[in-house]
């Protein structure tokens, strides 16, 4: 019996030794697997961080583009409101010119005086309405020539004026706020 017990112990020891080796081998394999898994996890984390940074940068660019778009459309709306009456003013300027031509002719008889007063009143109302919209005449005679607001149609030599000064206005020019609707046609001294 003692021999049987000794034999069993030896068998157990023999059996236990290979199990320990297997456990040690498995531990070594799992350590190398864990190292590879850690490296793979680190690579995945880096890839996710890079992707997150890329998405964040795209989001920032998109937000900046949207802000620029919003500001641009706001400026366009303001410009549209500021110059909304430009087409109407352009259509009315020939009417103003004709009123001025009509008022330049003085009637010789007294019977037309009432008619002329009525025309003057309508002309003043039209000019007031245009001024309320921001229309103003361009100053010309005696002013330095500015090609942005004046259109030189003639040049003259006049000793009374300095060089490059407007001598005479041939047709009135108009501004709508800060925009030239029609440049003034002028004679300029050389």
């Amino acid at each position: 019996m003692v021999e049987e017990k000794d034999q069993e112990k030896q068998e157990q020891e023999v059996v236990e030794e290979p199990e320990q080796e297997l456990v040690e081998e498995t531990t070594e394999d799992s350590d190398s697997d864990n190292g590879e898994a850690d490296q793979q996890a680190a690579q995945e984390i880096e890839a996710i961080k890079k992707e997150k940074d890329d998405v964040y940068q795209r989001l920032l660019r998109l937000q900046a583009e949207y802000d620029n778009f919003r500001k641009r459309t706001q400026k366009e709306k303001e410009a549209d409101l500021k110059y909304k009456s430009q087409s109407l003013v352009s259509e009315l300027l020939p009417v103003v010119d004709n009123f001025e031509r009509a008022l330049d002719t003085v009637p010789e008889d007294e019977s037309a005086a009432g008619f002329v007063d009525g025309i003057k009143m309508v002309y003043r109302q039209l000019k007031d309405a245009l001024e309320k919209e921001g229309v103003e005449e361009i100053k010309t005679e005696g002013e330095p020539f500015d090609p942005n607001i004046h259109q030189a149609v003639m040049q003259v030599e006049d000793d009374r004026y300095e060089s490059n000064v407007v001598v005479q206005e041939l047709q009135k020019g108009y501004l709508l706020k800060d925009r030239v609707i029609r440049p003034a046609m002028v004679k300029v001294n050389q």
Side-chain angles (χ1 to χ4, degrees):
M1 273 229 207
V2 175
E3 287 181 9
E4 283 180 16
K5 282 185 180 181
D6 284 336
Q7 197 174 14
E8 281 180 22
K9 270 187 177 180
Q10 285 177 356
E11 287 177 8
Q12 284 178 353
E13 287 176 11
V14 170
V15 170
E16 286 179 14
E17 284 180 23
E19 285 179 12
Q20 286 177 354
E21 287 178 15
L22 284 175
V23 171
E24 288 174 12
E25 288 177 15
T26 312
T27 305
E28 289 175 10
D29 288 343
S30 67
D31 284 345
S32 65
D33 287 345
N34 282 343
E36 290 176 17
D38 287 346
Q39 284 180 344
Q40 189 175 4
Q43 289 174 350
E44 288 178 7
I45 289 171
E46 285 300 316
I48 290 171
K49 282 182 181 179
K50 185 178 180 193
E51 183 179 348
K52 179 198 76 103
D53 289 342
D54 290 346
V55 169
Y56 181 71
Q57 290 300 319
R58 279 192 281 157
L59 175 67
L60 286 178
R61 276 189 237 108
L62 185 63
Q63 188 175 16
E65 288 175 9
Y66 175 73
D67 286 343
N68 291 339
F69 170 75
R70 188 175 46 81
K71 289 175 186 175
R72 185 174 56 248
T73 55
Q74 181 66 27
K75 285 180 183 178
E76 288 172 357
K77 284 180 184 179
E78 289 172 2
D80 286 346
L81 288 175
K82 186 175 182 180
Y83 303 113
K84 68 181 177 186
S85 58
Q86 181 175 347
S87 62
L88 178 63
V89 169
S90 296
E91 293 292 324
L92 288 177
L93 290 181
V95 175
V96 171
D97 291 341
N98 287 334
F99 265 112
E100 289 172 351
R101 283 187 207 104
L103 292 173
D104 284 343
T105 60
V106 178
E108 294 180 13
D109 59 349
E110 294 285 325
S111 63
F115 180 73
V116 171
D117 289 340
I119 295 282
K120 286 180 182 178
M121 190 174 6
V122 172
Y123 173 71
R124 266 188 306 232
Q125 286 178 333
L126 180 59
K127 292 284 281 189
D128 289 343
L130 290 173
E131 285 175 8
K132 284 181 184 176
E133 285 297 314
V135 176
E136 59 185 81
E137 291 180 10
I138 296 174
K139 295 180 183 176
T140 54
E141 291 186 25
E143 297 289 322
F145 176 74
D146 182 358
N148 297 317
I149 58 174
H150 300 129
Q151 180 179 357
V153 291
M154 294 177 69
Q155 282 190 336
V156 294
E157 286 189 36
D158 193 340
D159 295 335
R160 295 178 291 167
Y161 295 98
E162 293 181 21
S163 177
N164 207 26
V165 171
V166 175
V167 175
Q168 182 182 4
E169 177 181 72
L170 301 174
Q171 182 183 29
K172 287 187 179 179
Y174 294 93
L175 295 170
L176 175 61
K177 298 185 171 65
D178 57 354
R179 184 181 286 179
V180 176
I181 299 298
R182 181 174 77 187
M185 289 188 197
V186 296
K187 283 185 188 179
V188 180
N189 195 27
Q190 287 184 345

